[in-house]
């Protein structure tokens, strides 16, 4: 009943995880450089426009992610990188997930993770640096509507009947949320690749796993809280999310906590104690 | 794992907790006093939870799993699974969604994304289908009681006897011995950056969130005032939101020197220059200090740049020059600071030579308060001197230069000083053009003093700077403490009343010797009459550290009879003896701009780079020594 050989009775069995389980699912290596309630960093300040807050979070998380990517992606003097076409011929997150790009004929193509990440970076920074998508003019800033205090609802500031969207009054474009969701989804895939393909090589060896855990858990918490990631999109990293719900990283009340399979998380915690 | 290396979050709505600790230890992450995960239920998470709750509608009917075998999402609580279960359809769905943002993409055709999932296959799905209780049955609410219940029953399920003698493979991959050596130098460099930046990210985020919460509760207090009418309340809310929003924009924008127009170069030093600049976007006036990275690196100033950035960033004191933001490019670090139009005390002393006792009393009293403020922040300035004492619009004192501008910061390097003390004269090359006859150990020759005064500014701008005001214990390497700044105060007071600093000599080497032998070399000239109390105070400051006044804190200095009648608490509010007379916000009358070469360092460096055919670094803020240098203050960035 409680064996570890992947029988259907194991609550973890549904994940089809390799056995023994990856190092990053060991509670001893799922720890952080920070303690406390991460929600305090993700929650939108009440007066701040939702679009403004999402924009802020996109940029912050992108900067964080890139700190880790740089480690595997930047060339050594001899031109080699930790993540390369041999080590990672596909942009994968374990045996069960790999991600493809659409080429210019809109066909999905498999790329080495290195290429994928290069394209991802170019694409995201193209968005973030675009003033039309992420405006930076201080004069364009707005605030969040509060029915008990602010009397002019946003839509009435322009012509009634005009369409409204998140961040409209602050100058964010109509597809802003969609763009940000795509950015978050892309960043999630990169994180998933970092865990599945590079957690030990190099992050664990370089003593960076706690930093990675803190940045990624904050990322998941924020992305879920802002509906930037849908629960089914978390799949490649679901067991770690379960574990973090169980070990207190995700506080009850957060969406990330709600999205977790608590039995799986408890099981991982228990395995961690046995180990 | 060192517990002191951990940051603690969770500060939320409990302002009592953070009030005391916030300031005292500005840079150590270990000082947020919260326990680990303290009552997660009541934290600010609830208070600030964004409103959207899109997933609550979806409790599926109980047959869901039976009908949709083969779902890859079947381990999720069922309400989150997509409505249709075909693998193929799933792929289409992703593709469709992701192609949209690509349409206005600069990299058209490349940057589309799509998720392909290799599902586990029929066997696995079947085994799942036959599995016991569906996860969908799990209580969905996050409430702890429900969770514990579930956990309890689950635990008993797990406690079933295990086949104890079966040899089992380990649950987790074994952790190998860590070996950072197997990665290249660049990876190891990036490791350092990454580690530092991740720590900084959380440290900065916690600080910002804390400050934001304080602003929020201040605003709520205003809103709850029953006398506030609706229009005013709306105004408060809107302004609050806009101010926060502008700050967020500021945070995600990279500042660059091109955003500022140079009006004049108001100071030049070995490591860089200070310019009066105007922000192009809003015409606000600032002092922009730019430091040459390669010089900082060569002269080993990196720790000190960092120290200065830290103290200025942490401080909110009226006695310390305000730092608004820091940024960098390939060649420079930039510090954007408030412009203090009154110039500095050095310029004043060059102009007036000596001050009356009353005027001296005012400045020394203000400097006492300023040094006290720095000490309260937990810093020792170590380089208090007239050049670093600036005068604001009202003629009041502010301190600047926390660790820069001169080379006297190898403070821990005893050998450095020992060499200077024992070795030969180390006249720096850039001062050879101002060769002055050596001033003897007891300065009395007025002509020589005047020469010294003329070379004063040149000395201030040199790499080596002037050691005149530095306490002897810093040279001798037996350790120093906060009271070394009080020694400097004594030497400045001496200079105000006498006209030159007590240990001045043409050559730094001689100045060191005089300072170390202060018992013999401290000499009050006969032709200048000092008040008994003034001389007593100077002698109580320029003395060995055991007897130095101020050892127990600034209050002992304030209580000295020289300051009789000075009301320290209101000092900054009285009129200063010298008030700058300014014609505009960009008036540089009080800066010796005529004496300063107005050629921009950037111009020089660019010319050099072109001459050398050097390629520009790609991501300047990522060069390792300057990691974490960037800083952005909430206040006054966007008036």
């Amino acid at each position: 009943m409680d064996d570890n050989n992947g029988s259907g009775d194991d609550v973890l069995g549904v994940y089809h995880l390799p056995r023994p389980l990856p190092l990053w699912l060991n509670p001893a290596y799922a720890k952080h450089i920070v303690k406390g309630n991460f929600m305090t960093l993700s929650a939108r300040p009440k007066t701040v426009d939702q679009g403004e807050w999402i924009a802020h979070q996109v940029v912050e998380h992108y900067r964080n992610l890139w700190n880790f990517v740089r480690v595997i992606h930047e060339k050594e003097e001899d031109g080699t990188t930790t993540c390369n076409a041999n080590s990672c011929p596909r942009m994968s997150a374990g045996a069960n997930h790999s991600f493809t790009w659409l080429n210019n004929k809109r066909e999905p193509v498999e790329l080495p993770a290195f290429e994928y990440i290069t394209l991802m970076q170019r694409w995201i920074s193209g968005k973030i640096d675009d003033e039309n998508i992420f405006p930076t003019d201080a004069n364009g800033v707005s605030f969040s509507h509060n029915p008990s205090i602010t009397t002019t609802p946003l839509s009435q500031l322009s012509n009634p009947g005009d369409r409204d969207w998140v961040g409209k009054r602050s100058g964010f474009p109509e597809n802003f949320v969609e763009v940000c969701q795509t950015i978050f989804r892309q960043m999630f895939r990169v994180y998933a690749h970092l865990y599945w393909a590079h957690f030990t090589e190099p992050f664990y060896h370089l003593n960076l796993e706690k930093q990675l855990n803190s940045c990624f858990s904050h990322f998941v918490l924020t992305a879920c809280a802002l509906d930037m990631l849908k629960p089914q999109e978390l799949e490649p990293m679901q067991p770690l999310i379960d574990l973090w719900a169980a070990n207190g990283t995700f506080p009850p009340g957060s969406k990330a906590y709600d999205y977790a399979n608590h039995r799986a998380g408890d099981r991982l915690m228990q395995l961690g104690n046995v180990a | 794992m060192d517990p002191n290396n951990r940051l603690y979050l969770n500060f939320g709505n409990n302002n009592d907790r953070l009030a005391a600790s916030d300031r005292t230890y500005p840079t150590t992450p270990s000082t947020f006093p919260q326990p680990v995960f303290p009552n997660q239920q009541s934290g600010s998470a609830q208070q600030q939870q964004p409103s959207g709750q899109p997933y609550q509608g979806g409790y599926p009917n109980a047959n869901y799993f039976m009908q949709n075998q083969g779902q890859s999402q079947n381990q999720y609580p069922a309400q989150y699974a997509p409505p249709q279960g075909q693998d193929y359809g799933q792929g289409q769905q992703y593709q469709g969604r992701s192609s949209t943002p690509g349409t206005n993409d600069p990299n058209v055709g490349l940057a589309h994304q799509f998720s392909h999932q290799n599902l586990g296959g029929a066997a696995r799905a079947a085994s799942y289908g036959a599995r016991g209780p569906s996860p969908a049955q799990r209580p969905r609410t996050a409430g702890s009681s429900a969770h514990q219940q579930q956990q309890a029953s689950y635990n008993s399920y797990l406690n079933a006897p295990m086949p104890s003698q079966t040899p089992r493979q380990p649950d987790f991959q074994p952790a190998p011995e860590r070996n950072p050596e197997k990665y290249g130098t660049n990876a190891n460099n990036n490791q350092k950056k990454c580690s530092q930046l991740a720590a900084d990210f959380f440290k900065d985020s916690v600080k910002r969130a804390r400050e934001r919460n304080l602003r929020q509760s201040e605003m709520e207090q205003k809103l709850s005032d029953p006398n506030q009418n609706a229009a005013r309340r709306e105004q408060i809310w809107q302004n609050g939101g806009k101010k926060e929003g502008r700050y967020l924009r500021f945070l995600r924008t990279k500042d660059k020197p091109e955003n500022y127009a140079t009006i004049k170069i108001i100071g030049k030093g070995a490591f860089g220059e200070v310019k009066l600049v105007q922000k192009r976007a809003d015409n606000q006036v600032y002092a922009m200090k730019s430091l040459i990275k390669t010089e900082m690196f060569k002269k080993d100033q990196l720790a000190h740049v960092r120290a200065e950035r830290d103290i200025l960033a942490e401080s909110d004191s009226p006695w310390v020059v305000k730092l608004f933001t820091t940024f960098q490019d390939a060649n420079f670090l930039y510090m954007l600071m408030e412009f203090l139009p009154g110039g500095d005390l050095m310029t004043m002393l060059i102009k007036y030579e000596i001050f009356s006792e009353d005027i001296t009393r005012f400045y020394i009293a203000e400097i006492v308060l300023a040094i006290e403020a720095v000490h309260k922040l937990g810093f020792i300035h170590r380089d208090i001197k007239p050049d670093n004492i600036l005068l604001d619009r009202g003629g009041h004192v502010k301190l600047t230069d926390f660790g820069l501008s001169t080379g006297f910061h190898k403070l821990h390097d005893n050998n450095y000083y020992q060499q200077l003390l024992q070795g030969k004269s180390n006249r720096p090359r850039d001062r050879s053009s101002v060769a002055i006859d050596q001033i003897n150990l007891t300065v009395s020759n007025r002509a020589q003093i005047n020469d010294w005064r003329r070379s004063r500014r040149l000395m201030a701008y040199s790499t080596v700077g002037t050691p005149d005001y530095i306490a002897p214990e810093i040279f001798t390497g037996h350790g120093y403490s906060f009271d070394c700044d009080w020694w400097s105060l004594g030497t400045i007071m001496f200079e105000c009343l006498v006209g030159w600093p007590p240990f001045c000599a043409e050559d730094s080497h001689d100045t060191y010797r005089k300072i170390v032998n202060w018992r013999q070399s401290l000499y009050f000239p006969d032709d200048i009459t000092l008040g008994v109390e003034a001389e007593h105070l100077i002698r109580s400051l320029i003395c060995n550290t055991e007897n130095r006044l101020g050892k127990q804190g600034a209050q002992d200095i304030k209580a000295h009879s020289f300051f009789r009648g000075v009301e320290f608490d209101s000092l900054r509010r009285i009129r200063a003896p010298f008030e700058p007379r300014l014609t505009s916000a960009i008036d540089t009358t009080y800066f010796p701009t005529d004496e300063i070469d107005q050629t921009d360092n950037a111009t020089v460096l660019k010319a050099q780079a072109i001459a050398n055919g050097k390629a520009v670094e790609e991501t300047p803020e990522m060069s390792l020594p300057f990691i974490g240098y960037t800083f952005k203050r909430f206040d006054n960035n966007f008036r």
Side-chain angles (χ1 to χ4, degrees):
Chain A
M1 197 166 191
D2 201 29
D3 73 16
N4 298 292
N5 299 320
S7 106
D9 286 335
D10 190 340
V11 69
L12 296 170
V14 294
Y15 293 133
H16 309 302
L17 294 164
R19 301 296 173 123
L21 296 166
L23 192 62
W24 46 270
L25 284 175
N26 186 335
Y29 299 98
K31 293 178 173 173
H32 300 281
I33 54 164
V34 245
K35 282 185 174 183
N37 188 339
F38 283 49
M39 271 315 285
T40 47
L41 304 184
S42 309
R44 177 179 61 86
K46 290 176 199 169
T47 55
V48 170
D49 177 66
Q50 173 81 357
E52 204 67 60
W53 189 243
I54 292 172
H56 171 66
Q57 293 297 340
V58 166
V59 172
E60 295 271 286
H61 285 290
Y62 178 63
R63 286 175 183 166
N64 277 347
L65 171 60
W66 203 252
N67 293 336
F68 295 97
V69 171
R70 200 179 295 114
V71 178
I72 60 158
H73 198 262
E74 216 171 81
K75 286 190 170 70
E76 293 294 335
E77 264 177 27
D78 59 6
T80 59
T81 53
T82 307
C83 182
N84 56 57
N86 288 328
S87 71
C88 310
R90 298 178 307 144
M91 180 66 180
S92 59
N96 297 336
H97 297 88
S98 71
F99 309 108
T100 51
W101 285 92
L102 294 189
N103 65 14
N104 46 16
K105 292 177 196 151
R106 306 245 158 170
E107 297 156 347
V109 286
E110 284 207 330
L111 291 173
F114 183 90
E115 312 290 331
Y116 186 103
I117 290 172
T118 306
L119 294 174
M120 182 279 306
Q121 195 255 348
R122 201 181 296 166
W123 186 79
I124 296 183
S125 55
K127 298 294 173 201
I128 288 175
D129 295 340
D130 185 344
E131 274 283 326
N132 296 314
I133 305 176
F134 285 82
T136 56
D137 180 7
N139 297 316
V141 171
S142 191
F143 52 90
S144 75
H145 178 58
N146 177 343
S148 70
I149 294 172
T150 49
T151 50
T152 25
L154 16 150
S155 50
Q156 285 168 22
L157 289 177
S158 51
N159 295 323
D162 273 6
R163 247 179 324 183
D164 194 20
W165 61 81
V166 169
K168 181 181 183 185
R169 286 184 310 150
S170 302
F172 294 97
E174 194 164 357
N175 66 346
F176 178 68
V177 165
E178 201 182 345
V179 170
C180 291
Q181 283 169 337
T182 311
I183 293 174
F184 267 98
R185 205 180 306 133
Q186 288 293 354
M187 292 198 287
F188 180 84
R189 290 172 181 191
V190 177
Y191 268 122
H193 180 71
L194 296 186
Y195 273 92
W196 278 99
H198 297 292
F199 185 79
T200 312
E201 308 272 348
F203 294 113
Y204 164 83
H205 279 294
L206 290 172
N207 282 298
L208 287 174
E209 84 273 8
K210 275 188 270 187
Q211 284 83 348
L212 182 63
N213 289 333
S214 291
C215 289
F216 179 55
S217 60
H218 176 45
F219 171 88
V220 170
L221 201 61
T222 307
C224 293
L226 298 176
D227 291 325
M228 291 290 112
L229 286 176
K230 302 278 180 275
Q232 68 271 15
E233 290 169 335
L234 303 174
E235 183 184 357
M237 297 307 294
Q238 188 67 39
L240 184 57
I241 290 163
D242 302 342
L243 175 59
W244 279 338
N247 78 4
T249 301
F250 295 150
S254 64
K255 281 191 188 163
Y257 181 89
D258 291 348
Y259 296 167
N261 178 342
H262 297 253
R263 292 181 57 195
D266 292 339
R267 178 75 180 122
L268 285 166
M269 288 294 279
Q270 201 216 17
L271 292 175
N273 288 332
V274 172
Chain B
M1 180 180 54
D2 178 3
N4 292 327
N5 282 334
R6 298 200 114 169
L7 273 165
Y8 288 78
L9 305 185
N10 207 338
F11 34 87
N13 45 8
N14 194 345
N15 292 338
D16 304 341
R17 277 179 159 184
L18 57 94
S21 64
D22 198 6
R23 251 304 145 57
T24 328
Y25 306 98
T27 55
T28 24
S30 59
T31 54
F32 303 119
Q34 287 75 23
V36 182
F37 308 123
N39 67 78
Q40 295 161 345
Q41 296 283 38
S42 64
S44 59
Q46 289 171 337
Q47 175 203 338
Q48 298 187 343
Q49 184 82 306
S51 50
Q53 293 290 343
Y55 297 113
Q56 55 202 12
Y59 283 97
N61 67 53
N63 294 330
Y64 182 85
F65 280 94
M66 300 311 289
Q67 290 164 349
N68 290 282
Q69 296 184 1
Q71 258 300 334
S72 66
Q73 281 82 11
N74 52 15
Q75 71 274 25
Y76 292 96
Q79 66 268 30
Y80 305 131
Q84 280 303 318
Q86 286 297 318
D87 184 12
Y88 174 70
Q90 170 85 14
Q92 292 289 72
Q93 195 188 343
Y94 271 113
Q95 193 168 359
R97 179 165 49 223
S98 59
S99 62
T100 317
T103 48
N104 55 359
D105 174 25
N107 313 303
V108 176
L110 291 172
H112 299 267
Q113 32 109 38
F114 158 79
S115 165
H116 172 72
Q117 299 173 336
N118 289 328
L119 297 180
R124 286 166 178 169
S127 82
Y128 177 71
R131 212 173 132 259
S134 158
Q137 307 301 318
R138 188 176 67 75
R140 185 178 172 273
T141 37
S144 58
S145 62
H147 183 222
Q148 274 159 14
Q149 259 176 20
Q150 180 235 331
Q151 198 172 359
S153 63
Y154 180 56
N155 283 344
S156 64
Y157 156 81
L158 285 172
N159 289 338
M162 279 174 47
S164 52
Q165 258 134 33
T166 318
R168 32 173 288 174
Q169 80 182 117
D171 294 318
F172 297 101
Q173 279 169 13
E177 196 176 329
R178 295 186 201 255
N179 180 15
E181 314 285 273
K182 63 199 277 193
Y183 301 97
T185 44
N186 203 27
N188 274 287
N189 269 343
N190 282 327
Q191 187 276 345
K192 293 194 193 80
K193 297 174 191 179
C194 183
S195 169
Q196 175 79 52
L197 285 165
D200 283 356
F201 167 78
F202 284 103
K203 203 167 64 188
D204 291 349
S205 300
V206 167
K207 185 165 180 285
R208 281 184 205 132
R210 250 181 205 169
E211 289 169 354
R212 197 159 53 222
N213 289 351
L214 284 176
R215 291 192 295 270
Q216 174 77 21
S217 47
E218 275 168 28
M219 186 191 73
E220 275 164 8
Q221 207 149 15
K222 278 191 210 159
L223 290 173
S224 65
D225 181 349
N227 298 324
Q228 215 77 264
N229 66 34
R232 180 73 193 121
R233 279 157 51 84
E234 179 162 3
Q235 193 74 46
I236 290 170
W237 179 275
Q238 292 189 2
N239 289 346
K242 284 184 183 171
K243 209 173 176 199
E244 297 291 343
R246 279 189 221 114
Y247 184 56
L248 294 178
R249 283 197 179 184
F250 176 57
L251 286 181
R252 67 180 156 83
T253 316
K254 268 191 194 146
D255 213 341
K256 49 181 189 287
E258 292 75 31
N259 294 345
Y260 301 88
T262 303
I263 295 164
K264 229 165 205 164
I265 297 176
I266 55 175
K268 244 181 198 207
F271 299 110
E273 61 200 8
V274 183
K275 294 188 276 191
L276 175 63
V277 299
Q278 210 160 10
K279 191 170 185 175
R280 294 185 203 273
D282 58 9
N283 289 330
Q284 283 300 318
V285 171
Y286 300 96
M288 186 157 87
K289 185 167 177 173
S290 46
L291 298 160
I292 306 163
K293 282 183 173 183
T294 49
E295 289 299 311
M296 308 294 301
F297 199 78
K298 268 190 245 160
K299 304 278 163 41
D300 224 355
Q301 293 297 299
L302 301 169
H304 304 114
V305 187
R306 186 55 198 228
E308 172 161 53
R309 176 237 180 253
D310 287 347
I311 183 172
L312 291 178
E314 293 299 329
S315 136
D316 208 9
S317 164
W319 299 106
V320 172
V321 67
K322 197 167 199 164
L323 175 71
F324 293 112
T325 187
T326 56
F327 53 97
Q328 48 187 309
D329 62 17
N331 296 318
F332 297 96
L333 299 177
Y334 300 94
M335 309 178 83
L336 198 69
M337 299 182 290
E338 64 178 320
F339 171 56
L340 299 178
D344 60 41
L345 197 63
M346 176 179 78
T347 309
M348 284 259 288
L349 282 166
I350 289 172
K351 189 171 169 191
Y352 295 103
E353 300 194 4
I354 50 173
F355 292 162
S356 73
E357 217 162 270
D358 278 340
I359 290 175
T360 302
R361 193 174 354 263
F362 171 82
Y363 286 116
I364 297 300
E366 288 216 334
I367 299 167
V368 168
L369 292 176
I371 294 174
E372 187 184 23
V374 172
H375 289 180
K376 278 184 179 163
L377 287 166
F379 289 89
I380 306 172
H381 190 297
R382 289 176 277 215
D383 198 17
I384 305 269
K385 56 186 177 188
D387 334 21
N388 294 340
I389 296 164
L390 302 183
L391 301 174
D392 68 9
R393 195 170 302 270
H396 290 276
V397 159
K398 273 180 203 274
L399 289 181
T400 185
D401 259 334
F402 294 83
L404 302 171
S405 81
T406 70
F408 280 100
H409 299 282
K410 287 189 153 183
L411 295 172
H412 307 283
D413 188 352
N414 187 27
N415 288 336
Y416 177 74
Y417 293 108
Q418 292 306 323
Q419 261 173 14
L420 285 172
L421 289 168
Q422 290 157 10
K424 291 198 168 179
S425 151
N426 75 320
R427 185 175 303 185
R429 227 177 291 141
D430 56 341
R431 276 183 54 206
S432 56
S433 56
V434 253
I436 308 167
D437 290 336
Q438 190 161 324
I439 297 172
N440 292 323
L441 280 174
T442 47
V443 179
S444 55
N445 185 320
R446 278 279 161 184
Q448 283 178 324
I449 286 294
N450 287 335
D451 281 344
W452 171 84
R453 193 166 287 133
R454 273 195 290 278
S455 68
R456 180 85 175 75
R457 196 178 302 284
L458 288 166
M459 225 181 317
Y461 294 154
S462 77
T463 325
V464 188
T466 166
D468 275 305
Y469 310 92
I470 294 179
E473 64 264 26
I474 290 178
F475 302 135
T476 50
H478 299 306
Y480 57 87
S481 184
F482 289 94
D483 59 306
C484 71
D485 287 339
W486 300 126
W487 166 288
S488 306
L489 179 78
T491 59
I492 292 168
M493 181 170 168
F494 183 105
E495 182 173 349
C496 290
L497 293 169
V498 173
W500 61 84
F503 308 109
C504 90
E506 194 277 320
D507 192 281
S508 327
H509 173 62
D510 290 329
T511 304
Y512 293 127
R513 268 215 316 253
K514 283 183 169 187
I515 292 171
V516 174
N517 301 314
W518 59 270
R519 279 175 230 267
Q520 287 77 49
S521 54
L522 179 60
Y523 165 79
F524 288 79
D526 304 328
D527 53 342
I528 292 168
T529 328
L530 266 73
V532 179
E533 285 151 342
E535 183 169 337
H536 183 266
L537 177 55
I538 291 170
R539 288 190 185 277
S540 316
L541 296 169
I542 304 179
C543 67
N544 56 328
T545 162
E546 291 77 18
N547 298 329
R548 199 173 298 158
L549 199 63
K551 188 96 187 142
Q552 313 299 324
Q555 69 279 355
D556 292 350
I557 299 174
K558 292 184 200 168
H560 192 275
S561 53
F562 176 72
F563 294 118
R564 193 180 296 123
V566 174
E567 291 198 23
F568 280 91
D569 292 342
S570 56
L571 201 55
R572 227 193 143 78
R573 292 194 295 274
I574 69 166
R575 291 192 65 175
F578 154 80
E579 289 177 329
R581 288 160 69 182
L582 303 165
T583 53
S584 74
I586 54 165
D587 190 331
T588 55
T589 311
Y590 296 97
F591 292 86
T593 51
D594 302 345
E595 300 172 31
I596 299 170
D597 175 11
Q598 291 289 315
T599 321
D600 210 292
N601 280 339
T603 320
V604 176
L605 277 178
K606 259 177 221 154
Q608 281 173 2
I610 290 165
N612 300 338
K614 252 199 210 158
V616 183
E617 214 184 322
E618 241 177 296
T619 46
E621 58 280 347
M622 285 310 149
S623 70
L624 186 55
F626 304 107
I627 280 289
Y629 183 73
T630 305
F631 158 76
K632 300 187 175 196
R633 185 184 288 276
F634 178 78
D635 274 322
N636 297 310
N637 274 302
F638 31 72
R639 284 164 297 186

